Structure formats: structure tokens, C-alpha cells
Amino acid sequence: MKNIFDKNETDTIINRIETLEATSQPKWGKMSVDQMLAHCNVTYEMVFDDKHPKPNAFTSLILKLFIKNIVVNEKPFKKNGRTATQFLITDAKHFEKEKERLVAYIQKVQQLGAGHFEGKRSHSFGVLNAKAWNNMFYKHLDHHLSQFGV
């Protein structure tokens, strides 16, 4: 798995994002490019903005037992997989605004570095090590950028 905390990898991801256009079409899935960017931003909103409610105890247990490993391992996500309700984006979003927000979040993660994320509590999965955070961040971005052919 590539290292999202490495500036070269971050720059590569950002360059991929910058090649997206408001008219970019997905190779699979139902989201438009603006919705995909907003969808990717939800991960970072959960980390930095405390914008989304935390799961209750039962949901948290289910997430840890059945979903966590899928999200933090190194195996790529399958195409057309189901997503959590908080990540569903159904309305139109402002393409440039969502793109700018995503780039800023990615830069913030890289600048904070792996040490900041070592032992940091995830909104949905409890305490994670830096490798799990890296896998979650990088894998999700790579999946959706590949979805749009970049």
C-alpha cells in the first residue's frame, strides 16, 4: 500500500485529483464526479470536523467486527460496493469547492504525519495505528480516483 503520509505520494494523489473535470464520467457506479469528491471528503470530516454523529454502541461493535478489516487492510475495495449511510451523497455538489476541500484535507493529513495518527481513535473503528489510517485514507482515494479513470 502506498504511503499517504509521504509527500511524493500525496503529490501524486493530488495530481490525479487535479486531472478531474466537472464533466468526468465514472467507469462504474452511480456517483457523479462532484458527488464522489464530497463522498471522499466525509472520511476527513469524520477525522477533523466532528460533523457526523458517532455510531451507538451496537453499531460500533458491528463496524469493528465486520467492517473494520475490510476498510483498513491492503486489499482493494470491490467495484460497486455498498457504503455507509453517512457516505451517501445524493444531491449535486459544487465540483471546484469539493475538489479544493479534498486537496486541503489530504495535505493536512500529510503535514500532520503518521505520528499524529498512531493510536488515534477513528470515528467508526476505535483506536487505529498509523498503518491502518494510511490504508483507509489511501485505499479509499485510490478506489474512487480509479473509478473516474485517473
Side-chain angles (χ1 to χ4, degrees), residues 20-76:
L20 291 168
E21 297 177 2
T23 56
S24 295
Q25 296 296 309
K27 292 181 172 185
W28 72 84
K30 299 175 184 175
M31 287 189 288
S32 62
V33 68
D34 56 297
Q35 291 171 327
M36 178 274 288
L37 293 168
H39 166 87
C40 287
N41 279 324
V42 172
T43 299
Y44 302 96
E45 291 169 356
M46 288 181 172
V47 174
F48 297 117
D49 300 335
D50 198 29
K51 184 176 178 176
H52 302 275
K54 291 185 174 35
N56 63 35
F58 177 74
T59 302
S60 184
L61 178 65
I62 298 300
L63 288 169
K64 288 176 188 175
L65 291 175
F66 298 106
I67 306 299
K68 177 182 173 181
N69 188 52
I70 295 166
V71 173
V72 303
N73 71 24
E74 295 192 14
K75 186 177 176 184

Side-chain angles (χ1 to χ4, degrees), residues 92-104:
K93 298 294 182 180
H94 187 275
F95 172 75
E96 287 297 331
K97 180 181 173 187
E98 295 300 331
K99 185 163 77 167
E100 288 172 14
R101 284 186 344 118
L102 184 56
V103 167

Side-chain angles (χ1 to χ4, degrees), residues 8 11-13 15 21 32 43 51 54 64 69-70 83-84 86 89 95 98 101 105-106 113 116 119 136:
N8 290 330
D11 289 345
T12 299
I13 287 285
N15 288 337
E21 297 177 2
S32 62
T43 299
K51 184 176 178 176
K54 291 185 174 35
K64 288 176 188 175
N69 188 52
I70 295 166
T83 191
Q86 308 92 300
I89 308 295
F95 172 75
E98 295 300 331
R101 284 186 344 118
Y105 281 134
I106 294 166
H116 175 81
M136 180 170 59

